[in-house]
Amino acid sequence: MSIEENLKTVQAQIVAAAEEAGRDPAAVQLVAVSKKQPEARVEAALIAGHLVFGENRVQEAQGRWGSFEEGWRADYADLKLHLIGPLQSNKVKDAVALFDVIETLDREKLARALSAEMERQGRHLPCFIQVNTGDEPQKAGISTDALPDFYDFCVGECGLDVRGLMCIPPVNEPSALHFGLLKVWADRLGVPDLSMGMSADFEKAVPLGATYVRVGSGVFGDRVF
Ligand SMILES: *Cc1c(COP(=O)(O)O)cnc(C)c1O
């Protein structure tokens, strides 16, 4: 299977899942997760016309997307890079410069740093709050208990443009439970976007309200490094 065919297949699955659930398929965007993928596969996706990508490490993303010739992004005006991995405070400057959406806002210190850096660079990027729906101690994300106050802090104190919520469900639990929970919280807070669902479960996330699904291996094949 080529990358182009994989993209078509995944898009068709998104459309089918949305239509079956009575949702507008255009309301669900595919974030192609290009982390740990060889350059050629990422280029194949770009050539196929795909323009929304997810990366989980700032440095790796800089290597891949920053290595293009100066000014290349002008030719891809609609290209959107989503940061989907943990963001360290010392990488905030680089992240704000490179990415278009920050999906992993999860603590006050980071919210403050992002707010200050966005102001400095004049780049007011949409953010998602990452929610640790399974309350897993080793996992990033804010607990649902702390979410309302954290949301108010990000929007009120920091002036961040919080558009939605993001989650990575625990591996051993039915992901649909976590997607449903994230949807409940998005509705409570009144945020429009939900980033949920990966290769194994994006078709379950769509009926539960996903507006972004993050698919890596399902588009590019197995990661190589
Ligand atoms: C790697 C990754 C994905 C994509 O995973 P696949 O199973 O390859 O689709 C999605 N979301 C996050 C946060 C990731 O780190």
Side-chain angles (χ1 to χ4, degrees):
M1 282 282 257
S2 70
I3 304 295
E4 186 174 7
E5 284 171 67
N6 290 348
L7 278 165
K8 280 198 188 129
T9 303
V10 172
Q11 294 280 17
Q13 288 169 314
I14 291 170
V15 169
E19 283 175 347
E20 198 173 298
R23 293 190 60 208
D24 175 9
V28 189
Q29 286 217 45
L30 170 61
V31 179
V33 178
S34 46
K35 71 179 185 204
K36 299 187 167 128
Q37 295 288 351
E39 217 87 325
R41 295 186 194 165
V42 181
E43 272 176 30
L46 273 170
I47 288 164
H50 194 77
L51 290 169
V52 186
F53 295 88
E55 292 280 353
N56 72 332
R57 286 169 170 275
V58 176
Q59 224 162 353
E60 184 191 326
Q62 275 180 318
R64 175 170 298 118
W65 298 98
S67 67
F68 287 80
E69 62 185 290
E70 196 79 29
W72 70 276
R73 266 176 98 161
D75 297 331
Y76 291 92
D78 295 327
L79 182 90
K80 300 284 181 213
L81 294 182
H82 289 230
L83 178 65
I84 62 169
L87 177 55
Q88 309 302 325
S89 297
N90 64 350
K91 295 275 165 56
V92 162
K93 187 176 171 209
D94 291 340
V96 170
L98 180 67
F99 287 94
D100 302 284
V101 179
I102 306 290
E103 293 204 17
T104 50
L105 178 56
D106 65 354
R107 59 196 190 280
E108 291 195 357
K109 188 180 173 203
L110 178 60
R112 279 209 189 85
L114 279 169
S115 170
E117 189 58 38
M118 287 182 192
E119 195 60 41
R120 206 167 294 136
Q121 294 188 28
R123 277 174 64 76
H124 296 279
L125 310 180
C127 298
F128 288 61
I129 293 174
Q130 183 175 355
V131 184
N132 188 355
T133 54
D135 283 324
E136 295 173 283
Q138 82 287 5
K139 195 169 271 178
I142 192 122
S143 71
T144 51
D145 288 346
L147 179 58
D149 284 348
F150 182 61
Y151 174 78
D152 287 344
F153 176 81
C154 292
V155 175
E157 297 272 307
C158 300
L160 291 170
D161 179 13
V162 179
R163 298 273 181 86
L165 305 179
M166 176 273 216
C167 77
I168 307 169
V171 280
N172 295 320
E173 291 180 27
S175 47
L177 292 177
H178 295 270
F179 299 155
L181 181 63
L182 203 67
K183 168 73 172 151
V184 167
W185 276 103
D187 290 346
R188 272 185 203 160
L189 297 173
V191 293
D193 285 314
L194 280 170
S195 172
M196 54 191 199
M198 321 204 314
S199 295
D201 53 16
F202 70 90
E203 287 168 289
K204 289 186 192 133
V206 170
L208 291 166
T211 60
Y212 292 90
V213 293
R214 310 177 306 268
V215 181
S217 44
V219 168
F220 295 109
D222 289 341
R223 288 181 272 279
V224 295
F225 56 90

